[in-house]
Amino acid sequence: MRLIALYRQPPDPQAFDKAYFGTHLPLMGKVPGLQASVVSKFTRTVMGEGFYMMADMAFPDEGTLKQAMRSPEMAAAGDNLATVAEGLVTLMFAEDPVPAG
Amino acid sequence: MRLIALYRQPPDPQAFDKAYFGTHLPLMGKVPGLQASVVSKFTRTVMGEGFYMMADMAFPDEGTLKQAMRSPEMAAAGDNLATVAEGLVTLMFAEDPVPAG
């Protein structure tokens, strides 16, 4: 099970990157059960409303992810996110990916 | 380099899944240079505007992806997409993911 964060274009990408990689990711790294975080930047929007960046955070199963969402470490990361990316974030649970051809 | 498609909630998910997996993915499978497609369904939106599904399509490099975007096979897949998911899609280029802790 994964936690996916999609970030819309920040007004100041340089300040966003500094806060995200310097402060937010280290806080997320303390969240219990998190196995790996993978961050991808979007470089071009071909169709529809685009985003700036995606973070794909893997947990071993849904129960662990749900516990993580209630942890004090996630609360701290969430509080930080409100200062780093207020109004920019979509946060979703995602099933483990299915290779599809 | 990857091509990422984000799909908003379709009005009829069962019909969407049938068209997507039965028709669209096989058409995408013919696109030159596509190495792998990985599809993930979102199961819960915690914050912000949610999506239904994501397709993560890997290409060896940006040049191959750009060529693929101009290919007749991609044009066929795009025409099909207009019937499967009109108004539901965000399509973006993304850098290869960076493991981030």
Side-chain angles (χ1 to χ4, degrees):
Chain A
M1 181 70 61
R2 295 136 66 207
L3 182 64
I4 305 282
L6 290 166
Y7 294 91
R8 291 175 199 286
Q9 180 73 36
D12 181 344
Q14 201 174 345
F16 176 89
D17 282 4
K18 192 178 170 196
Y20 182 85
F21 291 99
T23 307
H24 185 66
L25 260 184
L27 286 171
M28 278 302 301
K30 296 180 182 171
V31 170
L34 177 67
Q35 293 176 312
S37 295
V38 175
V39 176
S40 310
K41 288 220 179 146
F42 297 111
T43 58
R44 181 182 158 193
T45 301
V46 180
M47 189 188 303
E49 189 195 3
F51 289 86
Y52 177 65
M53 201 177 83
M54 172 168 62
D56 189 327
M57 296 157 277
F59 292 81
D61 51 55
E62 187 171 5
T64 306
L65 173 52
K66 284 182 173 173
Q67 278 193 308
M69 295 303 288
R70 293 189 293 263
S71 68
E73 292 86 353
M74 184 68 88
D79 287 350
N80 169 257
L81 194 65
T83 70
V84 170
E86 196 182 357
L88 301 178
V89 192
T90 282
L91 195 62
M92 295 176 284
F93 287 11
E95 293 175 353
D96 289 327
V98 179
Chain B
M1 180 70 60
R2 296 136 66 207
L3 183 64
I4 305 281
L6 290 166
Y7 294 91
R8 292 176 199 283
Q9 181 72 38
D12 181 344
Q14 202 174 345
F16 176 88
D17 283 4
K18 191 180 170 194
Y20 183 84
F21 292 99
T23 306
H24 185 66
L25 261 184
L27 285 171
M28 279 301 301
K30 295 179 183 171
V31 170
L34 178 67
Q35 294 175 310
S37 295
V38 175
V39 176
S40 309
K41 287 221 179 144
F42 296 113
T43 58
R44 182 180 156 193
T45 301
V46 180
M47 189 188 300
E49 189 194 3
F51 288 86
Y52 177 66
M53 201 176 85
M54 173 168 61
D56 189 327
M57 294 156 279
F59 292 81
D61 52 54
E62 187 170 4
T64 306
L65 172 52
K66 285 183 171 172
Q67 279 193 307
M69 295 303 289
R70 292 189 293 262
S71 68
E73 292 85 353
M74 184 68 88
D79 287 349
N80 170 256
L81 195 65
T83 69
V84 170
E86 198 183 356
L88 301 177
V89 192
T90 282
L91 196 63
M92 294 176 286
F93 287 11
E95 292 175 353
D96 289 327
V98 180

